[in-house]
Amino acid sequence: MLNSSFIRALSILLGGITCGLVFKMDTDEEDDDVDIDSDLRIITSRSDTQSNESIHVNSDFYLTISKMYMGSFSKDILRACDLLKVDSDTQVLFFYSLLQFVTPRGSGFDASVNSSFKNNIIVTLIVSSGSINFLSSWFSRLCDNHFYNEVLVLVEEKNYKIDEGDDLWESAFSNKNELWWCTLYLLQELYSYLLFVSHDKDLFAPGRLDKDCYKSFVSFLKNFSIFIVLGGRSVSSSLVTKMKNPLFKNMLNSFQNNGRLSLKLLQQIYLRDLRMHLFDEEFWFLDSLNFDVNKVTPLLKMVENALELDLDDDDDDDDDSADIFSTQNDSRMAIKFGQHHQIDSVLILMHLPFMIPFEERADVFHHLINLDASSFMDFNSTKLYGLISRENVLFDAFESFSQATGAQFKGPLSIEFVNKFGEKEAGIDGGGLTKELLTAVVSAGFFNTEDNRSQNAGLKFFDNTTNYELYPDASYYLRLKYEQKHPELKSFPLQERSFYLQLMKFLGMIIGKCLYENVLIDVSFAPFFLSLWATHHSKSQSSFLGLRSYDTQQYRNSFDDLKGFDKELYDNLTKLISLSDEELDSLDLNFTTTEPIEVNGEQKMITLPLVPDGDNIRVKQQNKLQYIYSIAKFKLNQRIIVQSNYFLEGLFKVIKPHWLSLFNPYEIQTLISGGEKEIDIDDLKNNCELGGYSFENQTIKDLFDILREFDNVEKSKFLKFTTSSSKQPLLGFKELTPKFGIRWSGSDKSRLPTASTCVNLLKLPNYQNKQLLKEKLLYSINAEAGFDLS
Ligand SMILES: *[C@@H]1O[C@H](CO)[C@@H](O)[C@H](O)[C@H]1NC(C)=O
Ligand SMILES: *[C@@H]1O[C@H](CO)[C@@H](O)[C@H](O)[C@H]1NC(C)=O
Ligand SMILES: *[C@@H]1O[C@H](CO)[C@@H](O)[C@H](O)[C@H]1NC(C)=O
Ligand SMILES: *[C@@H]1O[C@H](CO)[C@@H](O)[C@H](O)[C@H]1NC(C)=O
Ligand SMILES: *[C@@H]1O[C@H](CO)[C@@H](O)[C@H](O)[C@H]1NC(C)=O
Ligand SMILES: *[C@@H]1O[C@H](CO)[C@@H](O)[C@H](O)[C@H]1NC(C)=O
Ligand SMILES: *[C@@H]1O[C@H](CO)[C@@H](O)[C@H](O)[C@H]1NC(C)=O
Ligand SMILES: *[C@@H]1O[C@H](CO)[C@@H](O)[C@H](O)[C@H]1NC(C)=O
Ligand SMILES: *[C@@H]1O[C@H](CO)[C@@H](O)[C@H](O)[C@H]1NC(C)=O
Ligand SMILES: CC(=O)N[C@H]1CO[C@H](CO)[C@@H](O)[C@@H]1O
């Protein structure tokens, strides 16, 4: 039954369904003698006339199709390809159709397609042991193409401008290219998966592309992505005419699917390259943009507003064919705004942010916040008020502020603290109390460790990795699963669940406010968690350029994220890769995971399937990559996703999601906690305000001399002591608000230096003796004397 023409028939059939045509399958007549070829002729002629007749397919047929994705079917196909010497065009068409069919957009299934269908196929292709090496065979097809080679030089030569009617469009959509687009699609899907499951050493393992091919592929992807982003608005009218042709329409679909994938894949490759350094930094930058923060930011904001308006009146999402042309409107919009020479910068910023240096993007980020703050500044509005007791910081703050709208919470807050004796503490001027509140809530909400858990009614919101980086605690998810298994125990009442999630959301608002106010905090989040912040595109951003959001939420961490998450687990899984059949068998693994969980004060274990019916799926040689993928997905995504989404909802009340998608996870961490660079004492001095001293006074001179002599750890401690953050602001101390200050605090040489971290103030007695000053200062910064509100 498996012969070349069957495979071809199947592909076209699947392809037809993918394109939205639905065919009747009379299941009773299904028999091996069916003349597929003549059926095919009918099918293809139908699609030529763009018939939109819908013909019914019953559920049995879906079942039949879904079998092709499970078990050994795709292996059989591979074997058949091998034996029958199926030509490579047919192979491409077949696997392309197979994948397209289970990709949400073109899916023949309902929206909830099983991602495992797709993964099965991809894994089969990657680990195929037959004589066909798909990666390299498809890669040579890819290179052997006019468009591929044009794209490699295009951008540079044309100075990133692709003109209307450019031949490039013609060669992109030349009649010969249909299968080429399919090939590109396949390679991209395979590499996207490979990057997920293989660690750095494995990337160039035998059977994969070697380093040179990989680099050529990445260069192509980079240039192609630029073409997608900047070129989309110069579609010629002859192209629009071509649109009418169904063949062309297919290619356009491929083009857009490929564009989406490229941007995603390139991002993955870029993140990987931050570690691997196969390309130098310049490779990723696009310098010829003439990037100008002051012009770009308002333009970005205008585009943003226009898109938000657009989305309100246009919510029907299904008109694919117009996608690419909608970008024309974006550039018209820019021309309307009279700054079209900066629109390139805006487009790149939105879609390929890593092509612009981090410092410039950080600058844009702060500009955006300032613009935002000035847009709703209303001096008359009443400030939100909060009465916060030191003993109960988190819940009091939650009580006072969690119901605030984003705009209210972004505005100034009015806060009073009550100490443990119930007395109101003296206030401080200069907005210092907001900083005080933020740092206090952060320490209560994020660092409730085993010793002080009673603090927040026993609730734990964040856990840490083996690298001491924070991510949402998994217990919410696990307790929910436990509750579902044992509803009679009523171990996790609805009320408790919703309270917990609201608190998660509030913690998100707090981090948002920290970013908004540029209050640096000493919290390190795990990169895999941060990558959620950055890829959680708003609807408006992903529909920009017609990049619909079907998989923006389905972000992927790489296998290497597990290393930072849990080194032991990572090592265990790495070993798995090299095990023989027997060794793997003796481990007796199935697609489940067992997690510890506390139920009504008791420690229990709960075993959960990683995929539907995972209990009964053994881990074997051919599915071990999927097992690793499933574990990583469970640990890094599934069990924290609900909590994360609430956290993000809170965060996004204050910080717009697309402001964050300008950054990679490490950069977001820098925005939160400050730059990793060595603390620059001269910069501190240049941005320092003195009270009761002048820079000529001996004590001040001594102080800065001592600071310069300090090692990095001591400098950090000094900063922590005076500002509550151990790192300096990303763009220097000029960003610290309020400004760093030193105030004279008398001439009693026996006193210690003290600090008011919430106003970044050091109170320094006039020692007039360097040695004494150094001793006293070291004593203070090592004691971390805490808050002093006097
Ligand atoms: C085909 O599409 C047209 C316009 O989109 C519609 O008027 C017509 O009813 C459709 N025909 C069928 C059989 O659905
Ligand atoms: C996903 O695949 C599993 C295993 O084949 C199946 O039981 C389940 O119904 C599928 N889910 C969907 C949404 O198709
Ligand atoms: C496109 O790729 C080629 C080949 O790697 C490279 O020389 C060229 O600089 C790239 N263009 C851009 C804009 O990076
Ligand atoms: C461009 O925008 C105008 C309204 O501003 C709209 O009427 C038109 O359909 C849009 N064109 C495309 C191709 O989206
Ligand atoms: C704001 O307050 C000023 C003086 O208190 C008053 O004149 C003005 O009308 C107020 N504006 C609004 C929008 O309430
Ligand atoms: C909880 O304990 C940790 C370390 O033991 C400490 O850093 C943190 O400040 C404590 N949090 C509160 C709110 O006391
Ligand atoms: C790693 O494997 C060892 C030995 O099989 C096992 O004892 C340990 O629990 C595993 N650790 C993790 C985190 O899975
Ligand atoms: C799957 O593995 C779990 C954990 O090791 C075990 O409890 C369970 O019995 C296994 N399932 C089957 C069907 O063997
Ligand atoms: C600082 O120096 C100024 C002038 O040099 C002097 O007038 C002032 O008294 C000094 N202040 C202290 C606290 O030493
Ligand atoms: C803040 C936090 O959750 N800290 C924990 C990090 O992990 C260690 C070891 O698992 C715990 O002891 C800490 O309490």
Side-chain angles (χ1 to χ4, degrees), residues 363-562:
D363 220 7
V364 168
F365 181 72
H366 291 131
H367 271 68
L368 280 170
I369 289 174
N370 291 342
L371 267 181
D372 184 75
S374 59
S375 71
F376 67 83
M377 192 89 81
D378 176 4
F379 295 100
N380 287 13
S381 71
T382 48
K383 288 186 193 173
L384 289 176
Y385 172 77
L387 185 65
I388 313 291
S389 79
R390 291 269 174 204
E391 302 293 277
N392 201 25
V393 173
L394 178 62
F395 290 155
D396 282 355
F398 176 76
E399 195 71 15
S400 312
F401 301 118
S402 62
Q403 297 305 315
T405 64
Q408 284 171 325
F409 197 59
K410 285 187 229 184
L413 306 177
S414 160
I415 294 152
E416 283 186 290
F417 277 102
V418 180
N419 67 18
K420 61 180 165 200
F421 309 111
E423 302 156 346
K424 282 188 182 171
E425 294 175 3
I428 326 161
D429 45 15
L433 279 174
T434 301
K435 179 174 174 187
E436 170 90 15
L437 175 81
L438 293 174
T439 43
V441 173
V442 165
S443 103
F446 292 87
F447 295 104
N448 44 343
T449 56
E450 296 305 327
D451 343 330
N452 53 17
R453 266 184 76 176
S454 60
Q455 174 98 15
N456 302 321
L459 295 179
K460 185 174 177 202
F461 302 100
F462 280 79
D463 202 345
N464 59 160
T465 65
T466 41
N467 282 348
Y468 301 102
E469 292 161 335
L470 299 178
Y471 64 93
D473 188 63
S475 59
Y476 173 85
Y477 176 85
L478 299 175
R479 287 183 65 190
L480 200 61
K481 286 288 164 192
Y482 194 85
E483 165 82 20
Q484 283 165 3
K485 274 195 178 173
H486 309 279
E488 73 286 355
L489 294 179
K490 298 196 182 358
S491 56
F492 204 13
L494 198 59
Q495 215 179 350
E496 204 182 316
R497 281 182 238 165
S498 110
F499 181 60
Y500 184 88
L501 292 176
Q502 290 307 318
L503 273 156
M504 270 316 270
K505 181 168 152 191
F506 181 61
L507 289 176
M509 287 169 68
I510 290 289
I511 295 298
K513 179 85 173 163
C514 289
L515 283 166
Y516 201 82
E517 304 278 340
N518 205 6
V519 166
L520 298 183
I521 48 177
D522 262 339
V523 178
S524 295
F525 290 106
F528 71 85
F529 174 52
L530 288 168
S531 75
L532 263 188
W533 307 21
T535 54
H536 203 101
H537 295 265
S538 67
K539 198 175 165 217
S540 72
Q541 184 172 11
S542 40
S543 74
F544 193 67
L545 284 181
L547 301 168
R548 293 280 152 78
S549 57
Y550 80 91
D551 64 357
T552 44
Q553 292 218 28
Q554 186 209 327
Y555 78 102
R556 287 174 168 184
N557 290 296
S558 82
F559 178 46
D560 285 86
D561 281 309
L562 273 179

Side-chain angles (χ1 to χ4, degrees), residues 475-678:
S475 59
Y476 173 85
Y477 176 85
L478 299 175
R479 287 183 65 190
L480 200 61
K481 286 288 164 192
Y482 194 85
E483 165 82 20
Q484 283 165 3
K485 274 195 178 173
H486 309 279
E488 73 286 355
L489 294 179
K490 298 196 182 358
S491 56
F492 204 13
L494 198 59
Q495 215 179 350
E496 204 182 316
R497 281 182 238 165
S498 110
F499 181 60
Y500 184 88
L501 292 176
Q502 290 307 318
L503 273 156
M504 270 316 270
K505 181 168 152 191
F506 181 61
L507 289 176
M509 287 169 68
I510 290 289
I511 295 298
K513 179 85 173 163
C514 289
L515 283 166
Y516 201 82
E517 304 278 340
N518 205 6
V519 166
L520 298 183
I521 48 177
D522 262 339
V523 178
S524 295
F525 290 106
F528 71 85
F529 174 52
L530 288 168
S531 75
L532 263 188
W533 307 21
T535 54
H536 203 101
H537 295 265
S538 67
K539 198 175 165 217
S540 72
Q541 184 172 11
S542 40
S543 74
F544 193 67
L545 284 181
L547 301 168
R548 293 280 152 78
S549 57
Y550 80 91
D551 64 357
T552 44
Q553 292 218 28
Q554 186 209 327
Y555 78 102
R556 287 174 168 184
N557 290 296
S558 82
F559 178 46
D560 285 86
D561 281 309
L562 273 179
K563 197 194 297 182
F565 170 74
D566 183 342
K567 183 76 170 63
E568 193 182 309
L569 177 65
Y570 174 83
D571 289 343
N572 282 0
L573 292 174
T574 312
K575 273 183 220 138
L576 214 58
I577 293 175
S578 52
L579 292 188
S580 68
D581 289 358
E582 295 77 39
E583 288 167 321
L584 204 54
D585 224 38
S586 71
L587 285 181
D588 196 19
L589 291 171
N590 57 37
F591 275 69
T592 56
T593 177
T594 300
E595 305 271 311
I597 171 178
E598 196 181 302
V599 181
N600 299 333
E602 276 178 65
Q603 284 297 327
K604 306 242 182 212
M605 296 308 245
I606 179 170
T607 298
L608 297 167
L610 293 168
V611 297
D613 201 28
D615 244 20
N616 293 313
I617 306 178
R618 263 181 97 80
V619 178
K620 291 187 291 246
Q621 208 60 255
Q622 62 267 33
N623 64 12
K624 68 186 178 189
L625 277 186
Q626 274 149 299
Y627 174 72
I628 292 172
Y629 174 92
S630 309
I631 289 271
K633 189 168 160 221
F634 179 83
K635 295 280 187 186
L636 304 179
N637 188 354
Q638 201 166 327
R639 53 184 206 140
I640 63 165
I641 199 67
V642 176
Q643 304 90 302
S644 299
N645 281 341
Y646 272 84
F647 177 87
L648 291 177
E649 195 188 318
L651 174 66
F652 295 156
K653 270 174 101 168
V654 183
I655 301 289
K656 294 199 179 168
H658 46 272
W659 297 353
L660 286 176
S661 51
L662 299 177
F663 304 101
N664 72 39
Y666 311 100
E667 292 166 344
I668 293 182
Q669 181 60 52
T670 306
L671 294 175
I672 294 169
S673 64
E676 288 295 341
K677 286 189 207 130
E678 191 180 328

Side-chain angles (χ1 to χ4, degrees), residues 390 419 424-429 433 436 743-745 751-759 761-764 785-790:
R390 291 269 174 204
N419 67 18
K424 282 188 182 171
E425 294 175 3
I428 326 161
D429 45 15
L433 279 174
E436 170 90 15
R743 190 193 290 164
W744 181 81
S745 66
R751 293 188 57 183
L752 286 168
T754 56
S756 297
T757 52
C758 46
V759 286
L761 184 68
L762 173 68
K763 296 171 197 166
L764 189 64
F787 302 113
D788 166 19
L789 292 172
S790 61

